Amino acid sequence: MVLPLRLIPRVAAAARLPRAPLPISRRAPLVPALAMAYSTGSGADRRLLFRQLFEKESSTYTYLLADVADPNKPAVLIDPVDRTVDRDLNLINELGLKLVYAMNTHVHADHVTGTGLIKTKLPGVKSVISRASGAKADHFVDHGDKIHFGNLFLEVRATPGHTAGCVTYITGDADSQPSPRMAFTGDALIIRACGRTDFQGGSADLLYQSVHSQIFTLPKDTLLYPAHDYKGFTVSTVEEEVAYNARLTKDKETFKTIMDNLNLPYPKMIDAAVPANMVCGIQDPPPKI
Amino acid sequence: MVLPLRLIPRVAAAARLPRAPLPISRRAPLVPALAMAYSTGSGADRRLLFRQLFEKESSTYTYLLADVADPNKPAVLIDPVDRTVDRDLNLINELGLKLVYAMNTHVHADHVTGTGLIKTKLPGVKSVISRASGAKADHFVDHGDKIHFGNLFLEVRATPGHTAGCVTYITGDADSQPSPRMAFTGDALIIRACGRTDFQGGSADLLYQSVHSQIFTLPKDTLLYPAHDYKGFTVSTVEEEVAYNARLTKDKETFKTIMDNLNLPYPKMIDAAVPANMVCGIQDPPPKI
């Protein structure tokens, strides 16, 4: 178990729920000595293995990051979806990684998180969400926390506005960390757009402030990876969004007017997804046999 | 116009068709001096700007590559789809790139290529396909050709089997080129799978030989980017596919048996898509006014 430096483990309510571990079938992973080769990064910095995964029904991106230079190859999964948990865990197994944290950027309203299911299938994995979300999890994070896996870490920034508890996870600001930095923005910032602000403690005012103070102030070459994309984009940069985001480049009052007039339909999954996601996606885990 | 070193321009039949240029609306591109920052690569090698784009209906990946260290920022687009041409050209414009080549890995049967439409919207762009495809285009490539854009280049490898004219485009094998290498495999290799072999001169025998001799022999850390993915994967590596590809890890006879027994339905778009794609996607361009 890789212990985070500044993330203090807490026994959360969800951790006390009975669990029925269902080990996934494990094929022999690749020879560990070769796993350095999996990074998608160019150049010398190949410590980070990075994979972007897509769930088509809800257009959700799940992100896998691992320190493949660490002998244990500790990994984190950001915003896993329940429907694609088997795909994700199978990939993690094939790559010879050790999943440490299953994390959410926020309490999703459009799909059920995979974190609870992952915990039943891979005991030892800890779920992570912001304290401000009000949801259950093994670890709660606050603005400024760092989440360590091997010699890599993610910085937590509070970016409320889509929901009251939204955070953005950003790769560390240090020479030893990936360059350019990578920010996993959840629904706070979507490529050329942003998440809606009319549910779950949402606030257009707060979202505007969050993005401008916490995301647009990152280095211009920071790669932005959202929780969703509906047009087939996979990545953007701070510089691009500062120049071309259709909503967030406006002044705050114009932005608020845009958000107040989106006239979006009631989210079709919200009544099922939000209660489930408040408890890691599994409300009634099967009893231990 | 960036001239390729080894790709000899030819006046193809398609180039003589009348064209009705429809210039896309152009917003001011980003300050050119900053465009170095767009690479998704980590480390020192930021010459390559790379974007993976998804077309959801046909689950097609389109790839944008550009040399952003070259003052002209020459770019190529691999496997564009007609439905997403406006998205792609808008992105190219926003990033301040100059599209030079619109290329296909093969004559697609499941969607209409965007290359013809791109040529009507951005006169000067040249379409590229393999000579073995039998399709019309501005430039025909053969095994061993190099396609230059700025100081970057793609190597062409013939990888027939899904169709008789399939090629794989691979970033160059030189210190000045991106590391790890990146291979755009079309339908020859799909992550953990491969394209079907029962139409368009397809041959399971030939596909097996192509992948094993031309793709599996690349450096193990070569990143593999297919033309399609149906499970939400975005990238794999040679090492991963050599270990885990569900079909191509088998011996040739087993592979052929698998391919002979896929029992796939008749491709629903093939009768419309293939004739269109034989002429860059536009069979009857509007007459010049």
Side-chain angles (χ1 to χ4, degrees):
Chain A
M1 174 66 190
V2 178
L3 284 176
L5 280 185
R6 294 182 48 190
L7 177 64
I8 304 158
R10 292 178 185 87
V11 181
R16 292 195 298 270
L17 292 171
R19 288 190 203 133
L22 304 168
I24 57 166
S25 71
R26 299 182 75 87
R27 284 188 281 176
L30 292 173
V31 183
L34 299 179
M36 283 287 286
Y38 289 119
S39 165
T40 52
S42 299
D45 183 354
R46 297 197 185 180
R47 174 175 285 278
L48 174 69
L49 177 149
F50 173 64
R51 289 295 167 88
Q52 183 171 25
L53 299 153
F54 188 60
E55 197 286 311
K56 212 169 171 177
E57 200 168 325
S58 61
S59 294
T60 300
Y61 281 125
T62 297
Y63 299 98
L64 174 65
L65 294 89
D67 180 353
V68 288
D70 183 290
N72 291 320
K73 299 185 176 48
V76 302
L77 205 52
I78 299 174
D79 288 334
V81 178
D82 62 347
R83 281 186 290 262
T84 38
V85 157
D86 286 341
R87 173 198 67 187
D88 299 346
L89 295 189
N90 193 50
L91 179 64
I92 285 167
N93 181 44
E94 287 180 345
L95 296 176
L97 309 177
K98 178 178 169 51
L99 185 62
V100 179
Y101 299 121
M103 308 162 58
N104 276 301
T105 52
H106 64 291
V107 173
H108 302 276
D110 61 340
H111 67 271
V112 174
T113 178
T115 56
L117 197 55
I118 287 170
K119 282 160 49 73
T120 67
K121 296 197 174 207
L122 274 187
V125 174
K126 302 297 180 190
S127 58
V128 177
I129 202 164
S130 76
R131 185 183 320 281
S133 70
K136 290 179 178 175
D138 296 321
H139 295 310
F140 298 115
V141 288
D142 296 301
H143 183 89
D145 281 349
K146 291 178 180 172
I147 300 165
H148 291 256
F149 53 108
N151 285 307
L152 298 174
F153 66 91
L154 292 165
E155 175 192 330
V156 179
R157 291 199 184 184
T159 49
H162 168 62
T163 74
C166 285
V167 295
T168 292
Y169 298 114
I170 310 168
T171 56
D173 183 18
D175 287 345
S176 61
Q177 302 301 303
S179 173
R181 298 181 76 181
M182 305 158 79
F184 303 93
T185 58
D187 291 10
L189 185 140
I190 292 174
I191 296 173
R192 306 295 192 263
C194 63
R196 63 197 292 173
T197 54
D198 51 346
F199 287 102
Q200 300 175 267
S203 156
D205 199 301
L206 208 51
L207 181 59
Y208 190 89
Q209 196 178 313
S210 291
V211 172
H212 278 262
S213 68
Q214 302 302 322
I215 297 175
F216 282 2
T217 52
L218 287 164
K220 287 175 180 172
D221 63 353
T222 303
L223 299 165
L224 300 180
Y225 290 101
H228 298 287
D229 193 275
Y230 305 97
K231 294 182 178 174
F233 294 111
T234 54
V235 66
S236 185
T237 65
V238 166
E239 186 174 32
E240 254 180 81
E241 295 306 315
V242 166
Y244 297 121
N245 190 290
R247 298 175 185 171
L248 288 153
T249 50
K250 313 295 186 199
D251 63 78
K252 192 194 271 192
E253 289 312 309
T254 308
F255 175 75
K256 285 161 68 176
T257 304
I258 291 171
M259 297 309 288
D260 284 347
N261 291 282
L262 290 179
N263 297 317
L264 295 170
Y266 187 76
K268 60 183 177 181
M269 275 194 69
I270 193 169
D271 293 325
V274 169
N277 289 333
M278 290 298 283
V279 289
C280 285
I282 295 187
Q283 295 187 92
D284 300 300
K288 263 187 179 167
I289 298 167
Chain B
M1 175 66 190
V2 177
L3 284 175
L5 279 185
R6 294 183 48 192
L7 177 64
I8 304 157
R10 292 178 185 86
V11 181
R16 292 195 297 269
L17 291 171
R19 288 189 203 133
L22 304 167
I24 57 165
S25 70
R26 298 183 75 87
R27 283 189 281 176
L30 292 173
V31 183
L34 299 179
M36 283 286 285
Y38 288 119
S39 165
T40 53
S42 299
D45 183 355
R46 297 197 185 180
R47 174 175 286 278
L48 174 69
L49 178 149
F50 173 64
R51 289 296 167 87
Q52 183 171 25
L53 299 152
F54 189 60
E55 197 287 309
K56 212 169 171 177
E57 201 168 324
S58 61
S59 294
T60 300
Y61 282 124
T62 297
Y63 299 98
L64 174 65
L65 294 88
D67 180 353
V68 287
D70 183 290
N72 291 321
K73 298 184 176 48
V76 302
L77 204 52
I78 299 174
D79 288 333
V81 178
D82 62 346
R83 280 187 290 263
T84 37
V85 157
D86 286 341
R87 173 199 66 187
D88 299 347
L89 295 189
N90 193 50
L91 178 65
I92 285 166
N93 180 45
E94 287 180 344
L95 296 176
L97 309 177
K98 178 178 169 51
L99 186 62
V100 179
Y101 299 121
M103 308 161 60
N104 276 302
T105 52
H106 64 291
V107 173
H108 301 276
D110 61 340
H111 67 270
V112 174
T113 178
T115 55
L117 197 55
I118 287 170
K119 282 160 49 73
T120 68
K121 296 198 174 207
L122 274 187
V125 175
K126 302 297 179 191
S127 58
V128 176
I129 201 163
S130 77
R131 185 183 321 280
S133 70
K136 290 180 178 175
D138 296 320
H139 295 310
F140 298 115
V141 288
D142 296 301
H143 183 89
D145 281 349
K146 291 178 181 173
I147 300 164
H148 291 255
F149 52 109
N151 285 306
L152 297 174
F153 66 91
L154 292 165
E155 175 192 330
V156 179
R157 291 198 184 185
T159 49
H162 168 62
T163 74
C166 286
V167 295
T168 292
Y169 298 113
I170 310 168
T171 56
D173 182 18
D175 288 345
S176 61
Q177 303 301 304
S179 173
R181 297 181 77 181
M182 304 158 80
F184 303 93
T185 58
D187 291 10
L189 186 140
I190 293 174
I191 297 174
R192 306 295 192 265
C194 63
R196 63 196 294 173
T197 53
D198 51 346
F199 287 103
Q200 299 175 267
S203 156
D205 199 301
L206 208 50
L207 181 59
Y208 191 89
Q209 196 178 313
S210 291
V211 172
H212 278 262
S213 68
Q214 302 301 322
I215 298 175
F216 282 2
T217 52
L218 288 164
K220 287 175 180 171
D221 63 353
T222 303
L223 299 166
L224 300 180
Y225 290 101
H228 298 288
D229 193 276
Y230 305 97
K231 294 182 177 173
F233 294 111
T234 54
V235 66
S236 185
T237 65
V238 166
E239 186 174 32
E240 254 180 80
E241 295 306 316
V242 166
Y244 297 121
N245 190 290
R247 298 175 186 172
L248 288 153
T249 50
K250 313 295 185 199
D251 63 77
K252 192 194 270 192
E253 289 312 309
T254 308
F255 175 76
K256 284 161 69 176
T257 304
I258 292 171
M259 297 309 289
D260 284 346
N261 290 281
L262 290 179
N263 297 317
L264 295 170
Y266 187 76
K268 60 182 177 182
M269 274 194 69
I270 193 168
D271 293 325
V274 168
N277 289 333
M278 290 298 283
V279 289
C280 285
I282 295 186
Q283 295 187 93
D284 300 301
K288 264 188 178 166
I289 298 167

